[in-house]
Amino acid sequence: MSDERETGLKLDPKYDRDGLITAVASDAVTGELLMLAHMNADALAATIETGLAHFWSRSRQKLWRKGEESGNILRVVEMRIDCDQDALWLRVTPAGPACHTGERSCFYRRVTGAGLERIDDSETGAR
């Protein structure tokens, strides 16, 4: 491969037309998927600088630090970027629920043929 973005060691995120990159956060200990959000260049820079997860709110059109109102911050243990640098994976230590609904993870329901079904904590790997 000759594409430096895909094989090199320079951080060069490929933002979409809105200037965003998808970011998923998982618990660094359990591996549980906690949330999916988006980052712009400022959110990525703030996350790298502070070690706390920052995102771009598409609904509010503003930069926000996860937990700035609730106190449920996500402390970044490790951040990885995929091969073509258009998605981020944050391995985090959560301080409380990751979901704005108060659920530990935003992914607390499964899709079934009958609709949605709540997932029991014993199935998620939650502590």
Side-chain angles (χ1 to χ4, degrees), residues 21-90:
I21 188 170
T22 301
V24 295
S26 67
D27 186 299
V29 173
T30 68
E32 179 184 13
L33 181 60
L34 299 176
M35 64 177 287
L36 179 143
H38 297 86
M39 292 183 170
N40 63 6
D42 292 337
L44 179 56
T47 299
I48 292 169
E49 181 180 323
T50 67
L52 300 175
H54 288 72
F55 301 102
W56 176 258
S57 171
R58 294 181 302 168
S59 60
R60 293 177 284 167
Q61 291 292 295
K62 72 173 212 162
L63 180 70
W64 60 283
R65 178 181 47 83
K66 175 67 176 132
E68 67 188 18
E69 294 178 15
S70 67
N72 299 328
I73 63 169
L74 297 177
R75 188 166 307 282
V76 178
V77 173
E78 180 183 43
M79 191 175 347
R80 297 184 187 186
I81 197 159
D82 76 334
C83 56
D84 57 354
Q85 298 199 42
D86 66 355
L88 291 163
W89 174 22
L90 283 64

Short mmCIF file of all heavy atoms in Angstrom, two decimals, residues 21-90:
data_model
loop_
_atom_site.label_atom_id
_atom_site.label_comp_id
_atom_site.label_asym_id
_atom_site.label_seq_id
_atom_site.Cartn_x
_atom_site.Cartn_y
_atom_site.Cartn_z
N ILE A 21 -15.88 13.09 12.52
CA ILE A 21 -15.39 11.72 12.48
C ILE A 21 -16.16 10.95 13.55
O ILE A 21 -16.44 11.49 14.63
CB ILE A 21 -13.86 11.68 12.71
CG1 ILE A 21 -13.29 10.29 12.48
CG2 ILE A 21 -13.46 12.22 14.05
CD1 ILE A 21 -11.76 10.25 12.46
N THR A 22 -16.54 9.72 13.25
CA THR A 22 -17.29 8.90 14.19
C THR A 22 -16.35 8.40 15.28
O THR A 22 -15.21 8.01 15.00
CB THR A 22 -17.93 7.70 13.48
OG1 THR A 22 -18.80 8.21 12.47
CG2 THR A 22 -18.73 6.83 14.43
N ALA A 23 -16.84 8.40 16.53
CA ALA A 23 -16.06 7.91 17.66
C ALA A 23 -16.93 6.97 18.50
O ALA A 23 -18.06 7.31 18.83
CB ALA A 23 -15.57 9.07 18.51
N VAL A 24 -16.39 5.81 18.82
CA VAL A 24 -17.07 4.90 19.72
C VAL A 24 -16.25 4.80 21.00
O VAL A 24 -15.01 4.89 20.95
CB VAL A 24 -17.29 3.49 19.12
CG1 VAL A 24 -18.23 3.54 17.94
CG2 VAL A 24 -15.98 2.84 18.75
N ALA A 25 -16.95 4.65 22.11
CA ALA A 25 -16.26 4.52 23.40
C ALA A 25 -16.65 3.21 24.04
O ALA A 25 -17.84 2.85 24.07
CB ALA A 25 -16.65 5.69 24.31
N SER A 26 -15.65 2.49 24.53
CA SER A 26 -15.91 1.24 25.24
C SER A 26 -15.18 1.27 26.57
O SER A 26 -14.19 1.99 26.75
CB SER A 26 -15.46 0.03 24.42
OG SER A 26 -14.06 0.01 24.27
N ASP A 27 -15.70 0.50 27.52
CA ASP A 27 -15.09 0.39 28.85
C ASP A 27 -13.73 -0.31 28.69
O ASP A 27 -13.66 -1.41 28.12
CB ASP A 27 -16.02 -0.40 29.77
CG ASP A 27 -15.54 -0.43 31.19
OD1 ASP A 27 -14.42 -0.95 31.45
OD2 ASP A 27 -16.28 0.06 32.08
N ALA A 28 -12.68 0.31 29.18
CA ALA A 28 -11.33 -0.24 29.00
C ALA A 28 -11.14 -1.55 29.76
O ALA A 28 -10.30 -2.37 29.37
CB ALA A 28 -10.29 0.78 29.47
N VAL A 29 -11.94 -1.80 30.80
CA VAL A 29 -11.80 -3.02 31.58
C VAL A 29 -12.67 -4.14 31.03
O VAL A 29 -12.20 -5.24 30.77
CB VAL A 29 -12.14 -2.77 33.07
CG1 VAL A 29 -12.15 -4.07 33.86
CG2 VAL A 29 -11.15 -1.79 33.68
N THR A 30 -13.95 -3.86 30.81
CA THR A 30 -14.90 -4.92 30.41
C THR A 30 -15.02 -5.06 28.89
O THR A 30 -15.48 -6.08 28.41
CB THR A 30 -16.31 -4.63 30.95
OG1 THR A 30 -16.84 -3.47 30.30
CG2 THR A 30 -16.28 -4.45 32.46
N GLY A 31 -14.66 -4.02 28.14
CA GLY A 31 -14.83 -4.04 26.69
C GLY A 31 -16.23 -3.66 26.25
O GLY A 31 -16.49 -3.57 25.05
N GLU A 32 -17.14 -3.42 27.21
CA GLU A 32 -18.52 -3.09 26.86
C GLU A 32 -18.58 -1.81 26.04
O GLU A 32 -17.95 -0.80 26.37
CB GLU A 32 -19.34 -2.90 28.14
CG GLU A 32 -20.78 -2.53 27.89
CD GLU A 32 -21.56 -2.25 29.17
OE1 GLU A 32 -20.93 -2.11 30.24
OE2 GLU A 32 -22.79 -2.16 29.07
N LEU A 33 -19.35 -1.85 24.95
CA LEU A 33 -19.57 -0.66 24.13
C LEU A 33 -20.46 0.29 24.91
O LEU A 33 -21.55 -0.07 25.35
CB LEU A 33 -20.23 -1.05 22.81
CG LEU A 33 -20.50 0.08 21.83
CD1 LEU A 33 -19.22 0.80 21.43
CD2 LEU A 33 -21.21 -0.46 20.61
N LEU A 34 -20.00 1.52 25.10
CA LEU A 34 -20.73 2.48 25.92
C LEU A 34 -21.51 3.50 25.10
O LEU A 34 -22.66 3.80 25.41
CB LEU A 34 -19.78 3.22 26.87
CG LEU A 34 -19.03 2.34 27.86
CD1 LEU A 34 -18.03 3.17 28.66
CD2 LEU A 34 -20.01 1.60 28.78
N MET A 35 -20.89 4.05 24.09
CA MET A 35 -21.58 5.09 23.31
C MET A 35 -20.92 5.31 21.97
O MET A 35 -19.78 4.90 21.74
CB MET A 35 -21.66 6.41 24.09
CG MET A 35 -20.33 7.06 24.39
SD MET A 35 -20.47 8.65 25.24
CE MET A 35 -21.05 9.69 23.92
N LEU A 36 -21.65 5.97 21.10
CA LEU A 36 -21.18 6.40 19.79
C LEU A 36 -21.48 7.89 19.70
O LEU A 36 -22.56 8.33 20.08
CB LEU A 36 -21.91 5.65 18.68
CG LEU A 36 -21.49 6.05 17.27
CD1 LEU A 36 -21.48 4.84 16.38
CD2 LEU A 36 -22.41 7.10 16.70
N ALA A 37 -20.51 8.65 19.24
CA ALA A 37 -20.70 10.10 19.08
C ALA A 37 -19.81 10.56 17.92
O ALA A 37 -19.25 9.73 17.21
CB ALA A 37 -20.35 10.83 20.38
N HIS A 38 -19.70 11.84 17.76
CA HIS A 38 -18.88 12.39 16.68
C HIS A 38 -17.92 13.43 17.24
O HIS A 38 -18.23 14.10 18.23
CB HIS A 38 -19.77 13.01 15.60
CG HIS A 38 -20.64 11.99 14.96
ND1 HIS A 38 -21.87 11.64 15.47
CD2 HIS A 38 -20.44 11.21 13.88
CE1 HIS A 38 -22.39 10.69 14.72
NE2 HIS A 38 -21.54 10.41 13.75
N MET A 39 -16.78 13.56 16.59
CA MET A 39 -15.78 14.56 16.95
C MET A 39 -15.47 15.41 15.74
O MET A 39 -15.45 14.91 14.62
CB MET A 39 -14.48 13.90 17.42
CG MET A 39 -14.55 13.17 18.71
SD MET A 39 -12.89 12.56 19.11
CE MET A 39 -13.14 12.02 20.77
N ASN A 40 -15.22 16.68 16.00
CA ASN A 40 -14.61 17.52 14.98
C ASN A 40 -13.15 17.70 15.39
O ASN A 40 -12.70 17.10 16.38
CB ASN A 40 -15.37 18.85 14.81
CG ASN A 40 -15.34 19.72 16.05
OD1 ASN A 40 -14.67 19.42 17.04
ND2 ASN A 40 -16.06 20.82 16.01
N ALA A 41 -12.40 18.50 14.67
CA ALA A 41 -10.98 18.66 14.97
C ALA A 41 -10.76 19.23 16.36
O ALA A 41 -9.83 18.82 17.07
CB ALA A 41 -10.32 19.55 13.91
N ASP A 42 -11.62 20.16 16.80
CA ASP A 42 -11.48 20.74 18.14
C ASP A 42 -11.73 19.70 19.23
O ASP A 42 -11.04 19.68 20.24
CB ASP A 42 -12.43 21.93 18.31
CG ASP A 42 -12.05 23.11 17.45
OD1 ASP A 42 -10.87 23.23 17.04
OD2 ASP A 42 -12.95 23.94 17.17
N ALA A 43 -12.74 18.85 19.03
CA ALA A 43 -13.05 17.82 20.02
C ALA A 43 -11.91 16.81 20.12
O ALA A 43 -11.52 16.40 21.22
CB ALA A 43 -14.35 17.12 19.66
N LEU A 44 -11.35 16.43 18.98
CA LEU A 44 -10.23 15.51 18.98
C LEU A 44 -9.02 16.12 19.69
O LEU A 44 -8.40 15.48 20.54
CB LEU A 44 -9.87 15.09 17.56
CG LEU A 44 -8.69 14.14 17.41
CD1 LEU A 44 -8.87 12.87 18.22
CD2 LEU A 44 -8.46 13.82 15.93
N ALA A 45 -8.73 17.37 19.39
CA ALA A 45 -7.60 18.05 20.02
C ALA A 45 -7.80 18.16 21.53
O ALA A 45 -6.88 17.93 22.31
CB ALA A 45 -7.39 19.43 19.40
N ALA A 46 -9.01 18.50 21.96
CA ALA A 46 -9.31 18.65 23.40
C ALA A 46 -9.20 17.30 24.10
O ALA A 46 -8.72 17.22 25.24
CB ALA A 46 -10.69 19.25 23.59
N THR A 47 -9.63 16.24 23.44
CA THR A 47 -9.54 14.91 24.02
C THR A 47 -8.09 14.50 24.20
O THR A 47 -7.70 14.00 25.26
CB THR A 47 -10.29 13.88 23.13
OG1 THR A 47 -11.67 14.27 23.05
CG2 THR A 47 -10.19 12.48 23.70
N ILE A 48 -7.28 14.72 23.18
CA ILE A 48 -5.86 14.39 23.26
C ILE A 48 -5.18 15.21 24.35
O ILE A 48 -4.40 14.69 25.15
CB ILE A 48 -5.17 14.61 21.89
CG1 ILE A 48 -5.68 13.58 20.88
CG2 ILE A 48 -3.65 14.54 22.02
CD1 ILE A 48 -5.28 13.87 19.44
N GLU A 49 -5.50 16.50 24.41
CA GLU A 49 -4.85 17.40 25.37
C GLU A 49 -5.23 17.10 26.82
O GLU A 49 -4.39 17.14 27.71
CB GLU A 49 -5.23 18.84 25.04
CG GLU A 49 -4.59 19.87 25.95
CD GLU A 49 -4.99 21.29 25.58
OE1 GLU A 49 -5.13 21.59 24.38
OE2 GLU A 49 -5.18 22.10 26.51
N THR A 50 -6.51 16.81 27.08
CA THR A 50 -6.98 16.68 28.46
C THR A 50 -7.09 15.24 28.96
O THR A 50 -7.14 15.01 30.17
CB THR A 50 -8.37 17.32 28.63
OG1 THR A 50 -9.33 16.57 27.88
CG2 THR A 50 -8.37 18.77 28.19
N GLY A 51 -7.19 14.28 28.04
CA GLY A 51 -7.42 12.90 28.45
C GLY A 51 -8.87 12.62 28.82
O GLY A 51 -9.19 11.54 29.31
N LEU A 52 -9.75 13.59 28.58
CA LEU A 52 -11.18 13.43 28.82
C LEU A 52 -11.89 13.50 27.48
O LEU A 52 -11.54 14.32 26.62
CB LEU A 52 -11.70 14.54 29.73
CG LEU A 52 -11.07 14.61 31.12
CD1 LEU A 52 -11.60 15.84 31.88
CD2 LEU A 52 -11.35 13.33 31.91
N ALA A 53 -12.90 12.66 27.29
CA ALA A 53 -13.60 12.59 26.02
C ALA A 53 -14.40 13.86 25.75
O ALA A 53 -15.21 14.27 26.58
CB ALA A 53 -14.52 11.38 25.98
N HIS A 54 -14.15 14.47 24.60
CA HIS A 54 -14.89 15.63 24.10
C HIS A 54 -15.52 15.24 22.77
O HIS A 54 -14.92 14.47 22.01
CB HIS A 54 -13.96 16.82 23.87
CG HIS A 54 -13.46 17.46 25.12
ND1 HIS A 54 -12.53 16.86 25.93
CD2 HIS A 54 -13.75 18.64 25.68
CE1 HIS A 54 -12.27 17.66 26.95
NE2 HIS A 54 -13.00 18.74 26.82
N PHE A 55 -16.69 15.78 22.49
CA PHE A 55 -17.38 15.45 21.26
C PHE A 55 -18.00 16.70 20.67
O PHE A 55 -18.04 17.75 21.30
CB PHE A 55 -18.49 14.41 21.53
CG PHE A 55 -17.98 13.13 22.12
CD1 PHE A 55 -18.12 12.88 23.47
CD2 PHE A 55 -17.34 12.19 21.33
CE1 PHE A 55 -17.64 11.70 24.03
CE2 PHE A 55 -16.86 11.01 21.87
CZ PHE A 55 -17.01 10.77 23.23
N TRP A 56 -18.49 16.58 19.44
CA TRP A 56 -19.26 17.64 18.80
C TRP A 56 -20.72 17.23 18.84
O TRP A 56 -21.08 16.16 18.35
CB TRP A 56 -18.80 17.86 17.36
CG TRP A 56 -19.65 18.88 16.66
CD1 TRP A 56 -20.66 18.65 15.77
CD2 TRP A 56 -19.60 20.30 16.83
NE1 TRP A 56 -21.22 19.84 15.37
CE2 TRP A 56 -20.59 20.86 16.01
CE3 TRP A 56 -18.81 21.14 17.61
CZ2 TRP A 56 -20.81 22.22 15.93
CZ3 TRP A 56 -19.03 22.49 17.53
CH2 TRP A 56 -20.01 23.03 16.71
N SER A 57 -21.54 18.06 19.44
CA SER A 57 -22.98 17.77 19.49
C SER A 57 -23.62 18.25 18.20
O SER A 57 -23.66 19.46 17.94
CB SER A 57 -23.63 18.47 20.69
OG SER A 57 -25.03 18.35 20.61
N ARG A 58 -24.11 17.31 17.41
CA ARG A 58 -24.76 17.67 16.16
C ARG A 58 -26.10 18.36 16.44
O ARG A 58 -26.50 19.25 15.71
CB ARG A 58 -24.97 16.44 15.28
CG ARG A 58 -23.64 15.86 14.80
CD ARG A 58 -23.81 14.66 13.91
NE ARG A 58 -24.56 13.61 14.61
CZ ARG A 58 -25.05 12.54 14.01
NH1 ARG A 58 -24.88 12.35 12.72
NH2 ARG A 58 -25.71 11.63 14.69
N SER A 59 -26.78 17.96 17.50
CA SER A 59 -28.09 18.57 17.79
C SER A 59 -27.94 19.98 18.36
O SER A 59 -28.72 20.86 18.03
CB SER A 59 -28.89 17.69 18.76
OG SER A 59 -28.18 17.52 19.98
N ARG A 60 -26.93 20.19 19.21
CA ARG A 60 -26.73 21.52 19.82
C ARG A 60 -25.73 22.37 19.05
O ARG A 60 -25.53 23.54 19.38
CB ARG A 60 -26.28 21.37 21.27
CG ARG A 60 -27.36 20.76 22.16
CD ARG A 60 -26.85 20.57 23.56
NE ARG A 60 -25.96 19.39 23.55
CZ ARG A 60 -25.14 19.07 24.53
NH1 ARG A 60 -25.05 19.81 25.61
NH2 ARG A 60 -24.39 17.99 24.45
N GLN A 61 -25.06 21.74 18.07
CA GLN A 61 -24.04 22.45 17.28
C GLN A 61 -22.99 23.11 18.16
O GLN A 61 -22.68 24.29 18.01
CB GLN A 61 -24.70 23.49 16.36
CG GLN A 61 -25.52 22.87 15.24
CD GLN A 61 -24.63 22.16 14.22
OE1 GLN A 61 -23.84 22.78 13.54
NE2 GLN A 61 -24.76 20.84 14.15
N LYS A 62 -22.44 22.30 19.10
CA LYS A 62 -21.38 22.84 19.95
C LYS A 62 -20.48 21.73 20.47
O LYS A 62 -20.87 20.57 20.53
CB LYS A 62 -21.95 23.65 21.11
CG LYS A 62 -22.64 22.84 22.17
CD LYS A 62 -23.03 23.72 23.35
CE LYS A 62 -22.98 22.90 24.63
NZ LYS A 62 -22.91 23.67 25.82
N LEU A 63 -19.29 22.13 20.84
CA LEU A 63 -18.32 21.24 21.45
C LEU A 63 -18.77 20.96 22.88
O LEU A 63 -19.25 21.86 23.57
CB LEU A 63 -16.95 21.93 21.46
CG LEU A 63 -15.78 21.17 22.06
CD1 LEU A 63 -15.39 20.00 21.17
CD2 LEU A 63 -14.60 22.10 22.25
N TRP A 64 -18.66 19.72 23.33
CA TRP A 64 -18.98 19.41 24.72
C TRP A 64 -18.07 18.34 25.27
O TRP A 64 -17.62 17.46 24.55
CB TRP A 64 -20.45 19.00 24.88
CG TRP A 64 -20.90 17.79 24.11
CD1 TRP A 64 -21.18 17.73 22.77
CD2 TRP A 64 -21.09 16.46 24.59
NE1 TRP A 64 -21.56 16.46 22.42
CE2 TRP A 64 -21.52 15.66 23.51
CE3 TRP A 64 -20.98 15.86 25.84
CZ2 TRP A 64 -21.81 14.31 23.64
CZ3 TRP A 64 -21.27 14.51 25.97
CH2 TRP A 64 -21.68 13.76 24.87
N ARG A 65 -17.76 18.46 26.54
CA ARG A 65 -16.99 17.44 27.26
C ARG A 65 -17.99 16.50 27.88
O ARG A 65 -18.90 16.93 28.58
CB ARG A 65 -16.11 18.06 28.34
CG ARG A 65 -15.34 17.02 29.13
CD ARG A 65 -14.48 17.63 30.24
NE ARG A 65 -15.17 18.60 31.05
CZ ARG A 65 -15.96 18.30 32.09
NH1 ARG A 65 -16.19 17.05 32.44
NH2 ARG A 65 -16.53 19.27 32.78
N LYS A 66 -17.85 15.22 27.60
CA LYS A 66 -18.76 14.23 28.17
C LYS A 66 -18.75 14.37 29.69
O LYS A 66 -17.70 14.37 30.30
CB LYS A 66 -18.34 12.82 27.74
CG LYS A 66 -19.15 11.72 28.36
CD LYS A 66 -20.58 11.73 27.87
CE LYS A 66 -21.34 10.56 28.44
NZ LYS A 66 -22.63 10.95 28.99
N GLY A 67 -19.92 14.55 30.27
CA GLY A 67 -20.04 14.68 31.72
C GLY A 67 -19.98 16.10 32.23
O GLY A 67 -20.00 16.32 33.43
N GLU A 68 -19.93 17.08 31.33
CA GLU A 68 -19.81 18.47 31.80
C GLU A 68 -21.01 18.90 32.64
O GLU A 68 -20.88 19.77 33.50
CB GLU A 68 -19.56 19.44 30.65
CG GLU A 68 -20.70 19.59 29.67
CD GLU A 68 -20.32 20.41 28.44
OE1 GLU A 68 -19.12 20.59 28.16
OE2 GLU A 68 -21.25 20.87 27.77
N GLU A 69 -22.17 18.31 32.41
CA GLU A 69 -23.35 18.62 33.23
C GLU A 69 -23.62 17.52 34.25
O GLU A 69 -23.96 17.81 35.40
CB GLU A 69 -24.57 18.83 32.33
CG GLU A 69 -24.44 20.07 31.45
CD GLU A 69 -25.63 20.26 30.53
OE1 GLU A 69 -26.68 19.62 30.75
OE2 GLU A 69 -25.50 21.05 29.58
N SER A 70 -23.48 16.27 33.87
CA SER A 70 -23.83 15.15 34.74
C SER A 70 -22.70 14.74 35.68
O SER A 70 -22.95 14.09 36.70
CB SER A 70 -24.20 13.93 33.89
OG SER A 70 -23.06 13.46 33.18
N GLY A 71 -21.47 15.07 35.33
CA GLY A 71 -20.32 14.59 36.09
C GLY A 71 -19.85 13.22 35.65
O GLY A 71 -18.84 12.71 36.15
N ASN A 72 -20.56 12.61 34.70
CA ASN A 72 -20.23 11.27 34.22
C ASN A 72 -19.20 11.33 33.09
O ASN A 72 -19.49 11.03 31.94
CB ASN A 72 -21.49 10.54 33.76
CG ASN A 72 -22.49 10.36 34.88
OD1 ASN A 72 -22.12 10.22 36.03
ND2 ASN A 72 -23.75 10.39 34.54
N ILE A 73 -17.99 11.73 33.45
CA ILE A 73 -16.92 11.89 32.46
C ILE A 73 -16.44 10.54 31.94
O ILE A 73 -16.68 9.50 32.55
CB ILE A 73 -15.72 12.67 33.04
CG1 ILE A 73 -15.09 11.88 34.20
CG2 ILE A 73 -16.11 14.07 33.45
CD1 ILE A 73 -13.76 12.44 34.65
N LEU A 74 -15.78 10.59 30.82
CA LEU A 74 -15.10 9.42 30.26
C LEU A 74 -13.61 9.76 30.22
O LEU A 74 -13.17 10.60 29.43
CB LEU A 74 -15.61 9.11 28.84
CG LEU A 74 -17.07 8.73 28.69
CD1 LEU A 74 -17.42 8.53 27.22
CD2 LEU A 74 -17.40 7.49 29.50
N ARG A 75 -12.84 9.12 31.08
CA ARG A 75 -11.39 9.31 31.10
C ARG A 75 -10.78 8.36 30.07
O ARG A 75 -10.99 7.15 30.15
CB ARG A 75 -10.83 9.04 32.49
CG ARG A 75 -9.37 9.40 32.64
CD ARG A 75 -8.92 9.45 34.08
NE ARG A 75 -9.72 10.31 34.94
CZ ARG A 75 -9.65 11.64 34.99
NH1 ARG A 75 -8.82 12.28 34.21
NH2 ARG A 75 -10.41 12.32 35.82
N VAL A 76 -10.06 8.91 29.11
CA VAL A 76 -9.51 8.11 28.01
C VAL A 76 -8.25 7.39 28.46
O VAL A 76 -7.29 8.00 28.92
CB VAL A 76 -9.22 9.00 26.78
CG1 VAL A 76 -8.61 8.18 25.66
CG2 VAL A 76 -10.50 9.69 26.32
N VAL A 77 -8.28 6.06 28.34
CA VAL A 77 -7.14 5.21 28.64
C VAL A 77 -6.28 5.04 27.39
O VAL A 77 -5.06 5.07 27.44
CB VAL A 77 -7.62 3.83 29.16
CG1 VAL A 77 -6.46 2.87 29.33
CG2 VAL A 77 -8.40 4.00 30.45
N GLU A 78 -6.97 4.86 26.26
CA GLU A 78 -6.29 4.68 24.98
C GLU A 78 -7.23 5.12 23.87
O GLU A 78 -8.44 4.93 23.97
CB GLU A 78 -5.93 3.20 24.78
CG GLU A 78 -5.23 2.90 23.49
CD GLU A 78 -4.96 1.41 23.29
OE1 GLU A 78 -5.86 0.58 23.58
OE2 GLU A 78 -3.85 1.08 22.85
N MET A 79 -6.66 5.72 22.84
CA MET A 79 -7.45 6.10 21.67
C MET A 79 -6.79 5.46 20.45
O MET A 79 -5.59 5.56 20.27
CB MET A 79 -7.47 7.63 21.51
CG MET A 79 -8.47 8.09 20.50
SD MET A 79 -8.67 9.89 20.33
CE MET A 79 -7.85 10.61 21.69
N ARG A 80 -7.64 4.81 19.64
CA ARG A 80 -7.16 4.19 18.41
C ARG A 80 -7.94 4.77 17.24
O ARG A 80 -9.07 5.19 17.38
CB ARG A 80 -7.36 2.68 18.44
CG ARG A 80 -6.56 1.99 19.52
CD ARG A 80 -6.73 0.50 19.42
NE ARG A 80 -6.10 -0.18 20.56
CZ ARG A 80 -6.02 -1.49 20.65
NH1 ARG A 80 -6.49 -2.26 19.68
NH2 ARG A 80 -5.44 -2.04 21.70
N ILE A 81 -7.30 4.75 16.07
CA ILE A 81 -7.95 5.20 14.85
C ILE A 81 -7.92 4.05 13.85
O ILE A 81 -6.97 3.25 13.86
CB ILE A 81 -7.28 6.48 14.29
CG1 ILE A 81 -8.19 7.19 13.30
CG2 ILE A 81 -5.90 6.19 13.75
CD1 ILE A 81 -7.87 8.66 13.10
N ASP A 82 -8.96 3.92 13.04
CA ASP A 82 -9.00 2.80 12.10
C ASP A 82 -8.05 3.02 10.94
O ASP A 82 -7.43 4.08 10.82
CB ASP A 82 -10.44 2.51 11.65
CG ASP A 82 -10.98 3.48 10.63
OD1 ASP A 82 -10.52 4.64 10.58
OD2 ASP A 82 -11.87 3.10 9.87
N CYS A 83 -7.97 2.02 10.06
CA CYS A 83 -6.97 1.99 9.00
C CYS A 83 -7.02 3.20 8.06
O CYS A 83 -5.97 3.70 7.66
CB CYS A 83 -7.08 0.70 8.19
SG CYS A 83 -8.72 0.42 7.50
N ASP A 84 -8.20 3.68 7.71
CA ASP A 84 -8.24 4.84 6.81
C ASP A 84 -8.54 6.15 7.56
O ASP A 84 -8.85 7.16 6.95
CB ASP A 84 -9.20 4.62 5.63
CG ASP A 84 -10.62 4.30 6.06
OD1 ASP A 84 -10.87 4.13 7.26
OD2 ASP A 84 -11.48 4.23 5.18
N GLN A 85 -8.42 6.10 8.87
CA GLN A 85 -8.50 7.27 9.74
C GLN A 85 -9.83 8.03 9.64
O GLN A 85 -9.86 9.25 9.70
CB GLN A 85 -7.31 8.21 9.52
CG GLN A 85 -5.98 7.55 9.86
CD GLN A 85 -4.87 8.52 10.10
OE1 GLN A 85 -5.04 9.55 10.75
NE2 GLN A 85 -3.68 8.23 9.57
N ASP A 86 -10.93 7.25 9.52
CA ASP A 86 -12.23 7.93 9.51
C ASP A 86 -13.14 7.48 10.66
O ASP A 86 -14.33 7.78 10.67
CB ASP A 86 -12.94 7.77 8.17
CG ASP A 86 -13.34 6.34 7.84
OD1 ASP A 86 -13.01 5.41 8.62
OD2 ASP A 86 -14.00 6.15 6.81
N ALA A 87 -12.56 6.77 11.64
CA ALA A 87 -13.30 6.37 12.83
C ALA A 87 -12.34 6.21 13.99
O ALA A 87 -11.21 5.74 13.81
CB ALA A 87 -14.05 5.06 12.59
N LEU A 88 -12.80 6.60 15.17
CA LEU A 88 -11.99 6.51 16.38
C LEU A 88 -12.61 5.53 17.37
O LEU A 88 -13.83 5.42 17.46
CB LEU A 88 -11.90 7.88 17.07
CG LEU A 88 -11.11 8.94 16.35
CD1 LEU A 88 -11.44 10.31 16.91
CD2 LEU A 88 -9.62 8.65 16.50
N TRP A 89 -11.74 4.87 18.13
CA TRP A 89 -12.17 3.98 19.21
C TRP A 89 -11.51 4.50 20.47
O TRP A 89 -10.28 4.54 20.57
CB TRP A 89 -11.74 2.57 18.90
CG TRP A 89 -11.98 1.56 19.98
CD1 TRP A 89 -12.86 1.63 21.02
CD2 TRP A 89 -11.30 0.31 20.13
NE1 TRP A 89 -12.79 0.51 21.79
CE2 TRP A 89 -11.84 -0.33 21.26
CE3 TRP A 89 -10.31 -0.33 19.40
CZ2 TRP A 89 -11.39 -1.58 21.70
CZ3 TRP A 89 -9.88 -1.57 19.82
CH2 TRP A 89 -10.42 -2.19 20.96
N LEU A 90 -12.33 4.91 21.42
CA LEU A 90 -11.84 5.37 22.71
C LEU A 90 -12.07 4.27 23.74
O LEU A 90 -13.21 3.84 23.95
CB LEU A 90 -12.59 6.62 23.17
CG LEU A 90 -12.23 7.95 22.53
CD1 LEU A 90 -12.54 7.96 21.05
CD2 LEU A 90 -12.95 9.07 23.22
#
